[in-house]
Amino acid sequence: MNFFVNQNIVIHQLRVEGISNSSVLQIGSAGIIKPLSNLYNTGGYTEPAPELSPPTAELTPYVPLAPPG
């Protein structure tokens, strides 16, 4: 049996707080959602990255966050 779905979707505002690597954001109907993961060497690196140095006493976040409190 085949189902054909016609949709007209109007989105005035869509706020997404966060999406991680394994998240799926779907608007409308989907018959099958196939997982896909790609890993690209966009920098053209030919050897492994250097080892990390031990952490210091004060860590600075890479993402600017609001101060605690």
Side-chain angles (χ1 to χ4, degrees):
M1 180 182 329
N2 292 329
F3 289 101
F4 295 96
V5 178
N6 293 319
Q7 292 180 325
N8 182 14
I9 299 174
V10 177
I11 300 173
H12 294 288
Q13 182 178 11
L14 175 66
R15 180 176 297 195
V16 178
E17 294 295 328
I19 290 189
S20 67
N21 290 342
S22 61
S23 296
V24 174
L25 175 63
Q26 176 180 330
I27 299 172
S29 297
I32 298 174
I33 298 177
K34 296 181 180 178
L36 175 64
S37 177
N38 294 321
L39 180 62
Y40 297 103
N41 182 8
T42 58
Y45 298 104
T46 58
E47 57 188 47
E51 293 293 324
L52 291 175
S53 59
T56 59
E58 183 180 330
L59 295 177
T60 304
Y62 291 114
V63 178
L65 303 173

